[in-house]
């Protein structure tokens, strides 16, 4: 069973965390769900996304701490060649710029990768100090630039014009809480969505007008809900006890 999964263009990534047998791993599978490659997972799997062309994937794991709502977590985010089953690079090795100047930080943590239609451009969160920066990068050049602060776990819309993301509604970790927003990539302005509960998830777009996300119940189980991306309407239950779903178009 996959704890996190994504699939595009006949290639997918499955993250497993078999705590009973102390086994964690990354499985790369084809359109028939046959495992093609298996790689070690350096920590507790957290997020995974596959680029639209099915050739590149991103995996984030916790290598210290096990949640984003504590202040002692550390992540590792790897880019993977899904055709060869090999790790391409770690986002911490990318050259980061801010306002045109090279940006250096010794405490970088990356997560929440989402790929644009060209399968080379990506967006992600880079945390350093008390900042959760939105970065836009390119796999080919191994470079990324900081666009703005206060953006976690972005997910790009099917039309490529917006990001849905979770915004921290306070600056503490006791515990952290988040609310969903949508960001216009042309103007970098945003608006909140009609979901007022805490959402600790990387949301997914169902189409250009609705997003889906997980909401935890008091017993720890997670249900998937959806809401309109324009900030109107009311949340609707999509899948009871279903967590971090990823819509996949039929071939």
């Amino acid at each position: 069973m996959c704890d996190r999964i994504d699939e595009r263009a006949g290639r997918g990534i499955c993250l497993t965390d078999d705590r009973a047998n102390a086994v964690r791993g990354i499985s790369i599978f084809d359109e028939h769900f046959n495992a093609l490659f298996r790689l070690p997972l350096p920590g507790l799997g957290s997020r995974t996304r596959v680029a639209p062309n099915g050739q590149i994937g991103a995996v984030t794991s916790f290598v210290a701490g096990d949640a984003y709502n504590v202040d002692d977590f550390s992540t590792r985010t790897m880019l993977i060649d899904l055709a060869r089953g090999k790790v391409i690079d770690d986002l911490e090795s990318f050259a980061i710029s801010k306002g045109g100047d090279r940006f250096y930080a010794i405490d970088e943590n990356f997560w929440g990768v989402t790929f644009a239609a060209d399968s080379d451009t990506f967006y992600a969160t880079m945390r350093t100090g008390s900042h959760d920066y939105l970065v836009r990068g390119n796999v080919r050049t191994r470079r990324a630039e900081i666009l703005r602060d206060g953006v976690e776990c972005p997910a790009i819309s099917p039309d490529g014009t917006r990001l849905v993301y979770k915004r921290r509604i306070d600056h503490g970790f006791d515990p952290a809480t988040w609310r969903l927003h949508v960001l216009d990539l042309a103007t970098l302005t945003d608006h909140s969505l009609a979901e007022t509960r805490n959402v600790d998830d990387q949301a997914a777009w169902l189409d250009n007008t609705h997003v889906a996300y997980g909401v935890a119940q008091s017993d720890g189980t997670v249900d998937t809900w959806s809401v309109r991306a324009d900030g109107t309407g009311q949340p609707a239950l999509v899948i009871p006890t279903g967590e971090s779903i990823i819509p996949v178009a039929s071939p």
Side-chain angles (χ1 to χ4, degrees):
M1 184 178 74
C2 301
D3 294 281
R4 292 289 186 270
I5 191 170
D6 193 20
E7 187 271 338
R8 296 287 184 274
R11 281 291 188 276
I13 296 177
C14 169
L15 306 186
T16 56
D17 180 29
D18 183 355
R19 300 191 184 192
N21 298 302
V23 176
R24 292 170 173 164
I26 302 167
S27 179
I28 300 169
F29 59 87
D30 65 14
E31 67 271 24
H32 302 295
F33 297 98
N34 298 313
L36 303 176
F37 308 100
R38 288 186 172 87
L39 300 170
L41 181 62
L44 177 64
S46 171
R47 312 286 185 211
T48 188
R49 288 293 187 269
V50 175
N53 66 5
Q55 299 301 299
I56 301 292
V59 169
T60 296
S61 60
F62 291 110
V63 293
D66 61 359
Y68 297 104
N69 64 357
V70 296
D71 63 1
D72 60 350
F73 72 85
S74 179
T75 63
R76 183 178 179 188
T77 296
M78 302 177 296
L79 297 177
I80 300 174
D81 181 334
L82 302 184
R84 299 186 301 159
K86 296 182 180 296
V87 175
I88 298 172
D89 218 333
D90 188 309
L91 288 192
E92 291 186 16
S93 69
F94 276 46
I96 308 298
S97 63
K98 183 180 181 184
D101 297 323
R102 183 68 186 272
F103 182 87
Y104 296 93
I106 61 173
D107 62 342
E108 295 173 341
N109 281 293
F110 293 88
W111 68 88
V113 172
T114 185
F115 291 97
D118 64 5
S119 297
D120 179 54
T121 305
F122 67 88
Y123 298 86
T125 296
M126 182 187 80
R127 181 172 180 82
T128 175
S130 61
H131 299 280
D132 297 308
Y133 289 122
L134 172 67
V135 299
R136 177 176 58 206
N138 294 94
V139 176
R140 180 179 54 82
T141 64
R142 305 295 198 271
R143 295 180 179 274
E145 60 177 330
I146 293 172
L147 299 182
R148 57 163 283 179
D149 201 355
V151 175
E152 295 186 59
C153 291
I156 195 166
S157 61
D159 62 12
T161 64
R162 292 156 293 160
L163 298 173
V164 61
Y165 71 96
K166 64 178 189 179
R167 174 189 287 180
R168 196 180 301 268
I169 62 175
D170 59 52
H171 296 288
F173 286 95
D174 194 25
T177 53
W178 296 271
R179 185 170 178 184
L180 289 178
H181 286 68
V182 166
L183 174 74
D184 185 302
L185 286 170
T187 64
L188 295 184
T189 60
D190 60 8
H191 61 266
S192 61
L193 301 189
E195 175 58 81
T196 59
R197 292 170 293 182
N198 181 38
V199 177
D200 182 9
D201 193 14
Q202 184 172 16
W205 292 80
L206 297 176
D207 50 41
N208 278 312
T209 58
H210 293 81
V211 298
Y213 51 91
V215 176
Q217 302 182 56
S218 58
D219 63 359
T221 60
V222 177
D223 298 325
T224 292
W225 293 73
S226 72
V227 73
R228 290 187 60 86
D230 62 4
T232 66
Q234 296 294 325
L237 182 63
V238 178
I239 303 177
T241 65
E243 183 176 1
S244 288
I245 68 164
I246 299 295
V248 176
S250 300

